[in-house]
Amino acid sequence: MQKIYPNAAAALDGLLSDGMFIAAGGFGLCGIPELLLGAIKDAGTKDLTFASNNAGVDDFGIGILLQTRQVKKMISSYVGENAEFMRQYLSGELELEFNPQGTLAERMRAGGCGIPGFYTKTGVGTVIADGKEHKDFVGPDGKSQTYIMEEGIYADLAIVKAWKADETGNLIFRKTARNFNPPAAMCGKVCVVEVEEIVPVGTFDPDHIHLPGIYVHRIIQGDHEKRIEQRTVREKS
Amino acid sequence: MAWDRNQMAQRAAAELEDGWYVNLGIGIPTLVANYVGDKDITLQSENGMLGMGPFPIDGEEDPDLINAGKQTITELRRTAYFDSATSFGMIRGGKIACAILGAMEVDEKGDLANWMIPGKLVKGMGGAMDLVAGVGRVIVVMDHTNKHGDSKLLRECTLPLTGKAVVDRIITNLGVLDVVDGGLKIVECADGVTEGELRAATEATIV
């Protein structure tokens, strides 16, 4: 099966529809699928719901889709870096569902693994637990504790950034740019991946593959800006 | 007299034990890394890294290598990378021995509020709720009072909670207190601070 596409627009052809639910990888601006986000902007797809840890900045990442009012709802853990996001949220134009970061990651992983819900102690006793099923379990320390149920995420589409892919979609990520990309990839009905380099089958040591190609349906290679959000350095000692 | 930011961080570093895997929050907790000395401490960054190194020198920043505060950092020889689900698996699973983090309010039952002020801009809880629910020991490092001079150690938190009954120990500019049955217990006073001054600055019940 041919998984390699010439560019982001071609890789998304036939997959986009108004009102769809997209899971996106990335943490801050690190490891975000910047080329695919650009192609979604160009396609003009509207009323999108995104499960993504963050919402980018005003002119990069998911922020570019906020400028064009293509996003209806965000499911995120932290959105503090984006002024346009805050403006739309405070004016009621944009829905926001806060998920604790680990709960969001596990919701994606669980959805991709066929697990419709799971129990977690994260958020018990906070607003996050409001309206959710509570249940007591005996924990690993032998003591009974209260947990809440969280649901797995099933996305119509996953958009993901990896470092390298082979021709069958086996993926290798680089450093902390891995972050939400594997769980996001797993929870999509269709997963489109952008990489810095596509290599021939057999190039990777099979023991070194981070995410097997079974989760990957379409691949593109391209040049990435890879913007740094907070450049922090120390004095040379 | 009281402890300054660096002295608070130094005092917090004394809490860490050789061999621990530790998560440090943003602000004063980040400074704790400067005072671990000879102890073998591995720092976790919840975006997907164990073995977090110092900030890079100018010109060696890598956009693929950031901490949970989105700052550029470096790796160490022991570093391991993993995805966010695995990262919070080790947090929720109790594998991280200790988290040191800041707070807006802590109360005498160990409830913690540090993510949201109603009516003000809400940015999100990030990984804070997972950390306080999951790690072995939660240590809060913060100023004892807010900018109006009111105690941040309360009988009951007024702000939306990050976690319920999650805090083990509180280190402030005035001293160290533990959350115990019935209230807070003074462990030590900061240099030049009397127990009377510490009590006077604390709204929470001291037992």
Side-chain angles (χ1 to χ4, degrees):
Chain A
M1 193 181 120
Q2 173 58 257
K3 294 187 179 180
I4 301 170
Y5 286 71
N7 55 54
L12 291 171
D13 187 43
L15 300 181
L16 299 176
S17 59
D18 291 349
M20 75 186 306
F21 183 7
I22 301 175
F27 179 91
L29 303 182
C30 181
I32 59 171
E34 53 182 272
L35 304 175
L36 293 163
L37 289 168
I40 292 170
K41 179 187 175 183
D42 293 342
T45 319
K46 295 189 299 288
D47 297 327
L48 299 170
T49 295
F50 271 96
S52 170
N53 189 56
N54 312 95
V57 294
D58 281 332
D59 63 341
F60 200 59
I62 290 175
I64 64 170
L65 302 177
L66 292 166
Q67 287 185 345
T68 50
R69 312 285 175 88
Q70 289 172 261
V71 183
K72 183 182 71 176
K73 181 180 178 181
M74 292 293 308
I75 303 171
S76 303
S77 85
Y78 192 83
V79 294
E81 327 291 353
N82 192 318
E84 176 62 16
F85 182 100
M86 283 302 170
R87 194 199 64 72
Q88 289 185 24
Y89 173 56
L90 293 173
S91 70
E93 297 164 57
L94 183 69
E95 287 176 59
L96 172 61
E97 177 186 327
F98 276 128
N99 279 192
Q101 194 174 145
T103 295
L104 178 59
E106 188 63 18
R107 289 185 67 195
M108 291 181 183
R109 196 198 71 85
C113 295
I115 296 172
F118 58 92
Y119 292 93
T120 177
K121 57 191 171 186
T122 299
V124 171
T126 76
V127 294
I128 292 302
D130 290 349
K132 289 176 182 160
E133 184 198 336
H134 287 59
K135 190 170 177 177
D136 291 351
F137 290 92
V138 176
D141 58 359
K143 293 178 190 160
S144 183
Q145 201 176 346
T146 303
Y147 294 71
I148 53 173
M149 197 192 74
E150 297 280 1
E151 295 184 357
I153 282 175
Y154 309 109
D156 300 312
L157 172 68
I159 56 172
V160 161
K161 158 76 170 50
W163 184 38
K164 293 180 179 181
D166 72 16
E167 293 156 325
T168 68
N170 292 319
L171 301 183
I172 292 180
F173 300 89
R174 186 169 177 275
K175 303 185 187 288
T176 57
R178 191 180 322 184
N179 57 60
F180 274 82
N181 283 295
M186 293 166 76
C187 76
K189 285 193 193 84
V190 182
C191 173
V192 183
V193 180
E194 59 181 70
V195 298
E196 295 172 45
E197 186 182 3
I198 298 174
V199 300
V201 171
T203 305
F204 296 154
D205 180 334
D207 273 329
H208 292 174
I209 289 164
H210 295 140
L211 190 74
I214 190 168
Y215 294 107
V216 174
H217 304 96
R218 299 184 180 188
I219 316 160
I220 59 161
Q221 176 181 312
D223 294 327
H224 290 82
E225 177 182 339
K226 298 215 284 187
R227 192 184 297 185
I228 292 176
E229 195 162 344
Q230 295 198 35
R231 187 179 302 273
T232 312
V233 296
R234 69 186 145 98
E235 295 296 315
K236 201 167 185 174
S237 55
Chain B
M1 273 295 291
W3 285 327
D4 64 20
R5 286 164 60 89
N6 283 302
Q7 288 169 314
M8 289 159 70
Q10 189 169 8
R11 179 60 189 81
E15 298 288 321
L16 304 180
E17 294 180 19
D18 197 53
W20 273 11
Y21 292 85
V22 174
N23 186 293
L24 302 179
I26 293 166
I28 299 173
T30 304
L31 301 174
V32 173
N34 298 335
Y35 299 101
V36 295
D38 294 334
K39 284 184 282 198
D40 184 25
I41 301 293
T42 303
L43 298 180
Q44 196 228 26
S45 187
E46 66 265 26
N47 50 321
M49 177 183 199
L50 279 168
M52 180 167 56
F55 297 130
I57 57 171
D58 193 15
E60 294 186 0
E61 315 91 283
D62 184 338
D64 289 337
L65 183 44
I66 64 170
N67 63 18
K70 297 166 185 129
Q71 298 167 307
T72 45
I73 47 161
T74 56
E75 65 185 19
L76 305 170
R77 286 163 62 86
R78 69 174 58 185
T79 296
Y81 298 110
F82 34 83
D83 68 69
S84 299
T86 305
S87 183
F88 283 91
M90 66 183 71
I91 289 169
R92 212 186 292 106
K95 314 301 178 188
I96 303 293
C98 176
I100 301 179
L101 68 176
M104 299 169 185
E105 295 177 348
V106 180
D107 72 24
E108 61 192 45
K109 299 178 295 301
D111 294 359
L112 168 71
N114 73 350
W115 77 283
M116 177 182 183
I117 301 174
K120 290 204 175 173
L121 214 53
V122 182
K123 295 183 171 185
M125 72 293 286
M129 285 189 182
D130 308 276
L131 280 160
V132 300
V135 303
R137 187 167 169 78
V138 173
I139 299 172
V140 165
V141 181
M142 65 177 188
D143 283 330
H144 206 92
T145 55
N146 64 21
K147 62 186 174 198
H148 307 297
D150 302 324
S151 176
K152 293 170 69 175
L153 289 71
L154 305 175
R155 289 178 195 275
E156 187 161 8
C157 287
T158 62
L159 296 170
L161 297 183
T162 308
K164 208 164 175 57
V166 292
V167 176
D168 295 291
R169 178 164 281 195
I170 309 157
I171 298 172
T172 77
N173 52 321
L174 300 185
V176 181
L177 301 98
D178 275 349
V179 179
V180 298
D181 285 345
L184 304 182
K185 183 170 182 288
I186 297 174
V187 176
E188 66 183 82
C189 298
D191 302 333
V193 175
T194 67
E195 189 178 319
E197 287 167 341
L198 185 58
R199 283 175 178 271
T202 307
E203 184 203 288
T205 306
I206 292 181
V207 297

